[in-house]
Each structure stands twice: as structure tokens, then as C-alpha cells.
Amino acid sequence: TIVDRPLIQYAVDEAREAGIEQLIFVTGRGKASLDDYFDIGFELETTMRGRGKSLDALAPSRSGFGEIVSVRQQQPLGLGHAVWCARAIVGDEPFAVLLPDDLMVPGALKQMVAAYEELGGNILLTEEVPKERTASYGVIAPGETRDGAVEVQGLVEKPQPENAPSNLAVIGRYILQPEIMEVLDTQEQGAGGEIQLTDAMAKLIGKQPFHAVKSGSERHDCGDKAGFVLANLALGLADADVAPKLREFLDR
Ligand code: G1P
């Protein structure tokens, strides 16, 4: 939970805001609560209605009929594998990938969809990171920059700083073409023995347009302990109900 809603809600809101109409959750065992959260909360709604309370607060967590489809990744074999698990649902259309642990404020996908409408092909989100942090990210070998979009000439997953082609890291948002699924069909393992999305994307460079847009959003890495606390702090300070108490605590 970040302030008053689960992290997944932020990703779903960001996707909806960018015009995405169908959401595919790739989850694992024990994560059924994610699907339940977006279902109709019958007991809660009935109770609230009975007490004359507004249901407005529940609206974002109510999915439309057929809006959310869920698929299991039965083993954690890598991000590329997770994406590949959705291949039958994605079918033959371009699609976006959002890694909800990268919380972007404001949502970044809308900016990427605008770039996609100009450039087509594949669009990544990028951010400059300190050179010593490259081993935590997919890193871009950049070509020319035009209208804020960097041409992607190469991609390396989690390189050591001395081998990194730049300090432009790939952030957890992608717009991809369906051909990536055919590359992922080979199930080739990369960094950390995992089936990497980065490696599959690298194989399509030169065959399809590939660009990265520089993020104009603030990123909170909620997969990191400090990042998670900082996300709560940043969004708490932006919440009129929570901010006064937070400030009081921080000032002591
Ligand atoms: C994944 C990707 C990596 C990307 C990162 C963004 O890594 O493999 O290329 O830079 O997400 O958050 P993970 O954070 O899952 O290790």
C-alpha cells in the first residue's frame, strides 16, 4: 500500500489514463487478491450502501466487464518469460508493459503513447542513473536524439559500469510490437539465468524502429525498502489529509 491504495492501483490508473482498454495481469501463486481487489466488493458495497455512504472511493478498484484478464507465470523465470506468458492474450497487436514496482508520478505511459503515435515501433522509457548503478538496469546504447526521443541502437541487461554503453537506464514502461513474442519463444536465458525482455528487444533493433523517451516523471522504486518508504512519504506529503501529520512528525 502506498498511502491509501495498493501499488497495482497506480499502474492500472496510469494505463487507463493512457487509453489502455484491456489489462493483463501476469501474476503468480498466492496473488489472487490482486484479481479480487478489482472485482465488485459485494459485501463492502452492500454495507456501505446500507449506511448511506458514498461508493465513489471504490470506483477505481472496480474493473469493467472483461477489462482485466489474468494469467499465471508458474515459475519466476524472468521478465521476458512473464511477458511471454501473456502471448495468447496479446495476440497480434502492439502492447504496453508496466512494471508496477516502478511507481511513476505522474504516470509516464501517456507521454509514451504520444511518442508512439509519432514514431511507431517500440518505445522505452529512460532515465539517467549514476554510472555506478548500471548493474541494476537495462542500459541503452543511444543514437541520435530527435524531439526528445533517443534512438535505441543497442540494449544491455544489467551491465557493470565499465561495460555499460551509457548511463541511460530503461525504466519499467515499454510499448512493444507483438513480434517480440516470437523472439521470446526461444526461451533463451540471459543475465542472472533469466529469460530477459532486454535481450529479446535487442534482437529486434534494426528490424523495427526503437526509441526511448526521457521520463518527465518522478520515479519511486517500490521494490526497494527505502524507495517504498520514500514513495509513501512523497505521496503522503501530496495528500491533503495525510500531509499535516507527516509534516508534524518530520519537523520534530
Ligand atoms: C527489470 C528489467 C530491467 C529494467 C528494470 C526497470 O529489472 O530487467 O532491464 O531496467 O526492470 O525497473 P528488475 O528491476 O526486474 O531486476
Side-chain angles (χ1 to χ4, degrees):
T1 304
I2 305 291
V3 184
D4 61 353
R5 64 200 77 171
L7 199 41
I8 187 81
Q9 178 79 67
Y10 293 92
V12 165
D13 288 348
E14 179 176 342
R16 284 173 173 161
E17 186 206 27
I20 302 288
E21 289 163 352
Q22 186 178 44
L23 299 150
I24 307 168
F25 290 174
V26 183
T27 67
R29 276 187 300 287
K31 302 276 178 72
S33 57
L34 288 175
D35 298 321
D36 289 342
Y37 170 78
F38 287 98
D39 207 333
I40 292 172
F42 183 78
E43 295 82 357
L44 183 61
E45 287 187 18
T46 307
T47 307
M48 286 171 80
R49 238 182 245 113
R51 294 183 187 170
K53 290 198 171 154
S54 160
L55 300 183
D56 290 353
L58 301 179
S61 62
R62 216 186 216 258
S63 54
F65 296 127
E67 185 190 12
I68 294 180
V69 181
S70 192
V71 63
R72 295 289 182 106
Q73 183 194 27
Q74 289 127 309
Q75 284 181 277
L77 297 181
L79 176 59
H81 181 258
V83 169
W84 179 79
C85 285
R87 64 199 179 284
I89 310 165
V90 167
D92 201 20
E93 282 186 64
F95 62 103
V97 176
L98 294 92
L99 310 183
D101 55 349
D102 274 336
L103 171 55
M104 305 305 292
V105 185
L109 194 61
K110 200 174 176 183
Q111 177 196 0
M112 294 172 68
V113 168
Y116 176 76
E117 277 161 5
E118 283 285 308
L119 300 162
N122 302 270
I123 309 280
L124 314 181
L125 188 66
T126 184
E127 191 177 286
E128 287 183 28
V129 295
K131 192 91 187 187
E132 61 273 15
R133 299 277 299 133
T134 56
S136 301
Y137 299 96
V139 178
I140 294 171
E144 272 179 47
T145 300
R146 233 176 281 133
D147 302 330
V150 188
E151 194 197 335
V152 178
Q153 293 188 335
L155 285 166
V156 189
E157 180 67 7
K158 305 202 167 91
Q160 290 305 317
E162 60 274 21
N163 301 324
S166 73
N167 66 338
L168 288 179
V170 176
I171 303 309
R173 301 288 183 278
Y174 312 76
I175 294 177
L176 299 171
Q177 295 298 318
E179 288 76 19
I180 192 96
M181 297 299 188
E182 291 161 30
V183 182
L184 289 167
D185 274 340
T186 59
Q187 305 277 294
E188 226 168 87
Q189 292 176 3
E194 296 189 346
I195 298 167
Q196 297 290 358
L197 185 62
T198 303
D199 297 343
M201 292 191 300
K203 291 207 174 113
L204 288 177
I205 296 171
K207 296 183 182 149
Q208 298 183 340
F210 252 96
H211 294 91
V213 296
K214 291 200 178 169
S215 166
S217 309
E218 188 174 19
R219 177 171 65 103
H220 299 289
D221 178 3
C222 297
D224 173 77
K225 266 194 274 184
F228 177 73
V229 174
L230 288 173
N232 271 291
L233 210 52
L235 272 71
L237 286 170
D239 182 306
D241 294 334
V242 180
K245 280 193 182 162
L246 261 186
R247 282 194 201 289
E248 198 184 302
F249 179 82
L250 292 170
D251 286 345
R252 6 184 247 213

